Amino acid sequence: MNIVVLIKQVPDTTDVKIDPRTGTLIREGVPSIINPDDKHALEEGLRIREKFGGTVTVLSMGPPQAEDALMEARAMGADTTVLISDRAFAGSDTLATSYALARSVITTGEWDIVLGGRQAIDGDTAQIGPQTAELLGVPQVTYCIEIDIAEDGRSVTAKRALEDGYEVIETKLPALFTVIKDINQPRYPSIRGIVNVCRDCDVQTWNAKDIGASKKMIGLDGSPTQVARTFAPEPKGDGLILEGPPEQTTKELVKHLRDKNVVRVR
Amino acid sequence: MDFALSKEQLMIQQMVREFAQNEIEPIVAEYEAEGRFPEEIIKRLGEIGILGMTVPKELGGGGCDTVSYTLAIEEISRACASTGIAVSVNNSLACFPLLTFGTDEQKAEFLTPIANGSSLGAFGLTEPSAGSDAAMQQTVAVKDGDDYVINGIKHFITNATVAEVYIVFAMEDKSKGTRGITTFILKKGDPGFTFGTIEDKLGIRASIQAELVFENCRIPASRMLGQSGKGFKIAMMTLDVGRIGVASQALGIAQASLDRSIQFANEREQFGKPIGRLGAIQEAVANMATDIEAARMLVRYAAWCKDSGKPFSKEAAMAKLFASEMAMASATKAIQIHGGYGYIKDYPVERYFRDAKITEIYEGTSEIQRLVIALNVLSGK
Ligand SMILES: Cc1cc2nc3c(=O)[nH]c(=O)nc-3n(C[C@H](O)[C@H](O)[C@H](O)COP(=O)(O)OP(=O)(O)OC[C@H]3O[C@@H](n4cnc5c(N)ncnc54)[C@H](O)[C@@H]3O)c2cc1C
Ligand SMILES: Cc1cc2nc3c(=O)[nH]c(=O)nc-3n(C[C@H](O)[C@H](O)[C@H](O)COP(=O)(O)OP(=O)(O)OC[C@H]3O[C@@H](n4cnc5c(N)ncnc54)[C@H](O)[C@@H]3O)c2cc1C
């Protein structure tokens, strides 16, 4: 089974700050991590390999420092990692990113399954998985909490967690799955894994040419999205705290709820 | 001179820190209160290679350096000092002598399982009448044909009962004094080898200490570790390594004391402001932070000396002496900063205080560290 996992390096914070002047993310002083969902995707890939054999190839598109995320992935047990990096990718929106990732998946050779996170904690669009699947022309199952591959190594039953319930989908490989945290508990990298990665650093990088990307499809040229304005939403005001004995605060609370039309009392 | 940790060391520190914070910290209070050995945690630490960190990969270990080892013990002990000592004993007091003095057969049979996390090791030197004066071994080993027969009692032995492999010291020839002591590898279940009292302790309550009891315990001569009569030397060399581990454990306890003190000082308000804005509290925190950093430098330096193949006996003793006394002082300050809350079991600092004390005692008391340092210094080393 040839398993491909897509991981993104993101700033280690859920509280992303935006520079009000330039409208870009403030990354200084914020350490980078593997996007949380993606660690679960990698864990799932490693488990599939443990069951069916094969290899786990991890791809990440980003600047050279994204190699740190790939090193961690290798220390966790990935067989091969590739950094997809090229100045020509600058300004890529989610479509151009998906195109580059789809080209990279194809460049890995024979592949059976692509795994990714549901959503990146910085970009937050959850578009990469679905778009990449479309570009690869394979079925996609998003929001997975279970991916059960049958003995034949082809038929898959996947369980999706939706807001109002679960959906169980049957499909056939090759296919792309995006996962959420509940799917598994990612392993910690081992000492041996870390030592191996740090002592034989084979950094594999693919540029736009290596993945056979067409210039029109990447970077600003390949990005139909126009960003009109980026801004930090006004922070929500402080909540209201009612103090006093319960009989009194309950009355006040009901009054507030009624005034704001949250509840109507007949 | 370069003080920066390498990429490998940073990755190991980060990984162990995450493990300790996510997996150990949430359960430590419960295990300590019940005095329950954290078997499941130890098993998982074994799986990621924390039980034989510096043992070469071919023998089942992690293959990292001693500096990384100190980082790991510090992070583990910052969450749980009991887990810290269980891991430190396995790495330094059990893996190290097997790796350094064991034959290939002994390494395969005894080192690999305790290095790869399948089982644990322990170190039995101390006896009721041989503490600081370890040369006074009453446990005897008598050669009988192709076997050795061992009789005697070891006490206060960390990991006893849960360990499978025991490094045990016994007197083979009393007339030769320290040169009459020999080291043996014992296995749980060897005929005539049982466990006695399990100790009830002030601190590190989730770790286990028990007596090893040998009554006509017969083992094949192939279980001798190193040469006959070299036991005392093996014990002393092993304790040099162990002291780097205990010093790291002390560092972790001190760091936890500081972490909690900072949090408390910023949150607790008296006289209309956080107590961290009071000069007296600032002085306590500043001194703690400085002492911790000084201890950390001594610990890393001792580890670096070992990694560089330089002598490190004096350096390890200094690191252990300074770090353990600093940990006790830091834990005491942490309670003081917490006021009455610090004395109550709802806050972890009373545990740090109880845990810190042992670091001044085992693997050589502070008095013995001063003795080691003085002998080195006075002889011009
Ligand atoms: C107009 C525009 C211009 C942009 N310009 C830039 C720019 O110049 N530089 C820049 O860094 N970003 C730029 N971006 C952001 C970039 O396009 C997105 O970060 C990227 O497409 C991923 O989207 P997301 O973060 O929403 O991921 P999501 O769709 O939320 O991620 C879902 C999953 O897809 C996978 N995935 C996502 N991104 C990657 C990746 N890079 N490599 C591997 N796997 C991945 C992961 O498995 C992830 O969990 C731009 C975006 C727009 C709209
Ligand atoms: C929790 C715990 C875990 C332990 N784990 C292990 C283990 O795994 N393996 C093992 O072999 N042992 C272990 N020990 C034993 C430990 O190493 C000894 O307790 C320690 O070395 C001190 O010996 P003692 O208790 O006999 O004290 P003693 O040696 O009787 O010391 C009593 C006092 O006299 C002082 N003193 C003694 N000699 C001198 C001197 N020459 N100069 C100045 N002062 C001196 C000591 O510093 C101390 O203050 C453990 C002990 C404890 C409590």
Side-chain angles (χ1 to χ4, degrees), chain A:
Chain A
M1 183 89 61
N2 291 333
I3 304 148
V4 180
V5 183
L6 307 177
I7 70 169
K8 185 181 183 190
Q9 190 186 45
V10 295
D12 183 11
T13 173
T14 42
D15 181 24
V16 181
K17 299 235 163 41
I18 293 176
D19 184 330
R21 215 169 35 81
T22 60
T24 53
L25 295 184
I26 302 176
R27 288 177 188 270
E28 270 100 81
V30 186
S32 293
I33 54 166
I34 296 179
N35 180 49
D37 281 349
D38 304 0
K39 262 199 185 174
H40 296 264
L42 174 55
E43 175 65 32
E44 199 60 22
L46 296 171
R47 289 184 190 191
I48 294 171
R49 182 188 66 188
E50 274 153 21
K51 204 163 151 204
F52 290 93
T55 57
V56 174
T57 304
V58 176
L59 306 178
S60 186
M61 175 167 153
Q65 59 265 34
E67 176 62 19
D68 283 354
L70 291 174
M71 282 175 83
E72 191 179 339
R74 265 209 313 285
M76 280 174 73
D79 300 285
T80 315
T81 57
V82 186
L83 178 68
I84 325 290
S85 201
D86 195 320
R87 284 192 169 278
F89 294 136
S92 294
D93 68 4
T94 66
L95 184 64
T97 304
S98 301
Y99 170 77
L101 288 172
R103 285 302 319 160
S104 305
V105 171
I106 291 164
T107 308
T108 64
E110 299 267 319
W111 57 275
D112 301 289
I113 180 166
V114 180
L115 297 161
R118 170 194 56 178
Q119 196 163 354
I121 57 172
D122 56 348
D124 242 355
T125 66
Q127 292 173 0
I128 298 293
Q131 287 176 163
T132 306
E134 284 303 309
L135 290 164
L136 289 169
V138 297
Q140 57 176 281
V141 188
T142 53
Y143 295 82
C144 290
I145 55 164
E146 263 173 46
I147 299 172
D148 191 7
I149 304 175
E151 295 288 315
D152 68 357
R154 286 293 116 186
S155 336
V156 187
T157 312
K159 188 170 176 184
R160 314 176 64 211
L162 304 176
E163 260 170 38
D164 51 357
Y166 299 101
E167 213 173 73
V168 177
I169 305 258
E170 279 184 23
T171 185
K172 286 235 183 300
L173 297 185
L176 181 147
F177 301 81
T178 74
V179 310
I180 62 175
K181 291 193 186 61
D182 303 308
I183 192 166
N184 56 36
Q185 189 61 46
R187 69 197 61 190
Y188 289 86
S190 67
I191 297 293
R192 192 188 281 239
I194 293 172
V195 169
N196 285 344
V197 164
C198 292
R199 297 196 187 171
D200 96 81
C201 26
D202 83 279
V203 184
Q204 236 198 106
T205 307
W206 287 346
N207 60 24
K209 217 172 105 210
D210 296 328
I211 61 171
S214 139
K215 279 231 154 32
K216 293 197 306 275
M217 304 291 282
I218 55 171
L220 280 175
D221 289 347
S223 300
T225 318
Q226 299 289 316
V227 180
R229 185 164 78 98
T230 319
F231 61 96
E234 286 292 311
K236 284 197 197 129
D238 286 341
L240 175 69
I241 296 172
L242 303 172
E243 277 173 283
E247 311 84 68
Q248 181 196 323
T249 49
T250 312
K251 273 192 200 126
E252 279 178 51
L253 176 64
V254 172
K255 182 175 179 305
H256 278 289
L257 293 175
R258 217 186 295 182
D259 290 352
K260 297 225 184 284
N261 267 327
V262 178
V263 293
R264 224 173 289 152
V265 181
R266 267 182 283 175

Side-chain angles (χ1 to χ4, degrees), chain B residues 69 137 380:
Chain B
Y69 168 62
Q137 294 286 310

Side-chain angles (χ1 to χ4, degrees), chain B residues 89 93 123-128 130-133 155-158 201 204 209 358 361-368 371:
Chain B
V89 163
L93 301 190
F123 175 87
L125 176 67
T126 306
E127 302 180 357
S132 299
D133 189 3
H155 80 165
F156 300 165
I157 306 307
T158 300
K201 307 177 297 288
I204 55 165
Q209 281 75 26
I358 190 58
I361 296 170
Y362 54 26
E363 304 194 26
T365 61
S366 288
E367 290 75 11
I368 295 301
L371 202 74

Side-chain angles (χ1 to χ4, degrees), chain B residues 112-310:
Chain B
T112 297
I114 64 169
N116 71 16
S118 317
S119 60
L120 271 182
F123 175 87
L125 176 67
T126 306
E127 302 180 357
S129 47
S132 299
D133 189 3
M136 284 302 290
Q137 294 286 310
Q138 304 294 307
T139 299
V140 290
V142 177
K143 184 110 198 246
D144 180 24
D146 287 340
D147 295 339
Y148 271 97
V149 178
I150 299 180
N151 277 287
I153 289 184
K154 299 286 168 183
H155 80 165
F156 300 165
I157 306 307
T158 300
N159 291 348
T161 73
V162 288
E164 294 291 330
V165 176
Y166 296 78
I167 308 300
V168 172
F169 299 83
M171 188 61 86
E172 206 187 334
D173 186 349
K174 209 172 165 61
S175 69
K176 292 190 184 155
T178 55
R179 292 210 171 86
I181 298 170
T182 301
T183 315
F184 297 93
I185 309 165
L186 274 289
K187 276 198 309 195
K188 187 153 124 180
D190 276 335
F193 171 23
T194 54
F195 302 106
T197 315
I198 294 183
E199 307 298 344
D200 187 10
K201 307 177 297 288
L202 172 70
I204 55 165
R205 294 183 57 82
S207 77
I208 300 189
Q209 281 75 26
E211 280 176 340
L212 313 182
V213 181
F214 304 104
E215 288 167 299
N216 291 322
C217 172
R218 182 176 285 274
I219 51 169
S222 61
R223 297 281 198 82
M224 187 167 78
L225 180 65
Q227 290 161 347
S228 168
K230 286 285 191 306
F232 193 72
K233 190 147 182 265
I234 292 177
M236 292 306 116
M237 281 176 70
T238 301
L239 286 170
D240 283 343
V241 182
R243 282 164 191 160
I244 297 178
V246 174
S248 311
Q249 182 201 25
L251 198 49
I253 298 169
Q255 183 62 50
S257 302
L258 178 62
D259 296 340
R260 298 296 177 150
S261 297
I262 292 168
Q263 190 188 350
F264 190 86
N266 284 329
E267 282 168 7
R268 173 71 175 167
E269 292 193 7
Q270 287 292 278
F271 298 98
K273 59 185 174 194
I275 59 166
R277 304 248 291 273
L278 302 169
I281 302 293
Q282 289 181 347
E283 183 181 325
V285 170
N287 287 343
M288 265 165 102
T290 307
D291 290 346
I292 290 172
E293 212 46 50
R296 191 168 280 134
M297 290 301 133
L298 285 178
V299 171
R300 295 208 183 141
Y301 179 64
W304 176 84
C305 286
K306 176 168 178 286
D307 286 333
S308 314
K310 298 183 194 309

